[in-house]
Amino acid sequence: MESWPSPAVPRLADLGFGPAAPPRVRDTATGELQPVEGRDGVVRMYVCGITPYDATHLGHAATYLLFDTIQRACLDAGMTVRYVQNVTDIDDPLLERAVQTGQDWRAIALRETALFRDDMAALRVIAPTEYVGAVEAMPDIVDVVRRLRERGAAYDLDGDVYFSVAAAPHFGAVGHYSSAEMSRLSGERGGDPDRPGKKDPLDCLLWQAAKPGEPSWDSALGAGRPGWHVECAAIALRHLGEQVDVNGGGSDLVFPHHELSAAEAEVVTGRTPFARAYVHQAMVGYEGEKMSKSRGNLVFVSRLRAAGIDPMAIRLALLAHHHSADWEWHDDELAAAISRLERWRAALQRTSGPPAPVADLREAIGAGTDTPKALGLVDEWVAADGHDAAAPGVMAAAIDALLGID
Ligand code: 5CA
Ligand code: ZN
């Protein structure tokens, strides 16, 4: 599907700085910093996209800004990024919203995806190389299910097709949860651990048989629609090949989504691990709970924009938090970000300043994507005086290249 227009990204290498070192990202599977080196100069990154039944909230935006920052660090290191993002444009929440509102599920998906694109463009998020909907990936999804069946990793249950976790030797290696914890999370996050007849409570749907009143697609598996995890496995395998450098999303996707999509991809290809690094944005909360469409405690990017807030202030407010710890949005963060943005812009108008701390900025972003540290370095530069006439220009380029702030 159509994505959105990408912002231009200045190249610090053109300003006389050599390429940065490949960034290191926090890998959920090992808990370690993992260098993102790509292969032959190309980094392959798969990030889980939206389920388009409601507008983009600040939690979503934080997730896409994290991977945008990682992409910017890879570009700064002279690498090309092949970035794939999906749109879950058919799934239970979309059909439920369609029933509640009396609208067509397709119309909801189109409208909310269009709004998401506008939000991403306004936040200056670099667009994915491939932006792929589940509906358009249907033949690839069906093919992955066929290959799982051939490998004995799938079985039928009353017309539905399930993935068998027993067929995946490394199942559990992404999140390292206990089986009790996995059962609990599976039940909370779209799974069906209690369905009778399953070989293992954690087995997940690959293909669900058509139900009356629900959309379905004809396929070699019979009429039906896909399960969630296989959607991302199939889109990643099709567009990025057997192994990705970074597989990302919010931390609510560690289990079951990334665990199971990785297990499915690994069984199909025989190659482990599916991702060299699994990277997650911790949950953004609001009013005491995780910000989520199903709870309704949302702050929408589009609403802030409509109220005249500079999207760069929204971007700064989100980048002020480290991606590895849950945090809660407070409305005064926006005022703080607006004043920070004003201070930065005023300082960049100066005719000289202290030397630009490019190496330190690169290190902050390159060592575990520490955006709060990078913002603090810019704050220090802004607050200090100096006689380097090139510094304001270099800083403007570095702030744009690494942090995406115009
Ligand atoms: N379509 C699936 C992924 S394949 C999905 O989870 N869609 S979503 O619309 O629910 O979420 C989109 C992205 O935002 C996901 O990566 C999710 O992990 C992330 N996300 C959702 N809520 C939050 C939150 N409160 N804080 C941070 N990230 C969040
Ligand atoms: Zn996904």
Side-chain angles (χ1 to χ4, degrees):
M1 45 172 73
E2 189 193 338
S3 69
W4 57 87
S6 275
V9 181
R11 287 163 46 98
L12 296 176
D14 293 344
L15 296 176
F17 299 92
R24 285 161 293 148
V25 293
R26 179 68 59 194
D27 173 27
T28 304
T30 59
E32 306 285 329
L33 289 183
Q34 169 78 29
V36 181
E37 289 162 329
R39 265 169 291 135
D40 304 325
V42 181
V43 170
R44 292 164 180 80
M45 179 159 82
Y46 185 90
V47 177
C48 284
I50 55 164
T51 304
Y53 69 98
D54 210 341
T56 320
H57 61 61
L58 292 177
H60 301 138
T63 288
Y64 300 111
L65 287 178
L66 167 62
F67 296 98
D68 192 56
T69 308
I70 292 172
Q71 157 140 231
R72 286 169 182 276
C74 292
L75 296 174
D76 188 38
M79 299 184 285
T80 303
V81 181
R82 191 164 167 75
Y83 176 23
V84 178
Q85 189 181 126
N86 69 308
V87 183
T88 307
D89 56 0
I90 178 66
D91 203 3
D92 297 347
L94 201 50
L95 298 177
E96 286 159 15
R97 183 59 60 99
V99 170
Q100 284 161 12
T101 61
Q103 292 170 304
D104 187 277
W105 61 276
R106 280 161 293 216
I108 299 173
L110 280 175
R111 186 185 66 223
E112 298 305 341
T113 307
L115 189 56
F116 176 73
R117 286 189 190 100
D118 290 347
D119 288 339
M120 290 297 109
L123 291 171
R124 301 184 85 237
V125 172
I126 301 170
T129 326
E130 301 289 341
Y131 194 44
V132 187
V135 170
E136 62 188 355
M138 215 51 81
D140 294 325
I141 295 170
V142 171
D143 193 53
V144 164
V145 179
R146 179 188 62 77
R147 289 159 76 187
L148 287 170
R149 265 190 168 161
E150 276 174 13
R151 283 161 182 67
Y155 61 93
D156 292 358
L157 181 59
D158 301 332
D160 297 331
V161 185
Y162 273 86
F163 174 66
S164 177
V165 294
H170 301 280
F171 178 69
V174 177
H176 301 286
Y177 288 110
S178 68
S179 51
E181 191 72 352
M182 289 197 273
S183 279
R184 185 183 66 76
L185 289 171
S186 156
E188 280 174 15
R189 297 176 178 170
D192 56 2
D194 301 325
R195 178 167 175 179
K198 285 169 63 172
K199 294 184 179 171
D200 186 301
L202 300 175
D203 292 347
C204 65
L205 271 173
L206 292 168
W207 190 256
Q208 42 191 329
K211 293 195 196 86
E214 284 193 357
S216 63
W217 286 261
D218 285 325
S219 78
L221 306 164
R225 62 184 171 95
W228 174 28
H229 316 306
V230 70
E231 166 192 341
C232 286
I235 295 173
L237 290 173
R238 152 68 73 189
H239 296 280
L240 294 172
E242 292 191 350
Q243 190 183 47
V244 301
D245 296 288
V246 175
N247 183 22
S251 60
D252 55 339
L253 300 186
V254 175
F255 194 90
H257 186 54
H258 287 162
E259 194 76 70
L260 278 156
S261 52
E264 291 167 357
E266 288 169 4
V267 171
V268 166
T269 64
R271 184 160 175 182
T272 303
F274 163 63
R276 296 167 81 181
Y278 296 89
V279 182
H280 294 99
Q281 164 65 44
M283 287 296 104
V284 178
Y286 188 51
E287 297 173 338
E289 283 197 274
K290 168 192 165 186
M291 201 179 279
S292 82
K293 290 179 277 204
S294 49
R295 288 190 181 88
N297 57 335
L298 305 172
V299 181
F300 292 121
V301 173
S302 45
R303 263 207 219 134
L304 296 177
R305 286 170 50 218
I309 305 293
D310 185 330
M312 293 299 94
I314 305 172
R315 186 163 176 129
L316 263 188
L318 295 170
L319 293 180
H321 295 270
H322 199 284
H323 77 87
S324 61
D326 292 351
W327 60 276
E328 187 161 330
W329 175 259
H330 294 283
D331 295 321
D332 57 2
E333 313 213 11
L334 210 43
I338 290 167
S339 88
R340 183 178 239 163
L341 188 61
E342 281 168 0
R343 275 185 281 122
W344 286 19
R345 284 185 172 151
L348 293 170
Q349 297 300 317
R350 297 182 293 186
T351 50
S352 66
V358 171
D360 292 345
L361 281 170
R362 281 175 157 175
E363 175 61 16
I365 298 299
T369 331
D370 191 343
T371 54
K373 187 168 184 182
L375 267 52
L377 288 165
V378 178
D379 286 341
E380 281 171 27
W381 180 86
V382 162
D385 289 323
H387 303 291
D388 182 343
V394 170
M395 272 311 266
I399 289 167
D400 185 352
L402 298 174
L403 299 172
I405 302 286
D406 189 6

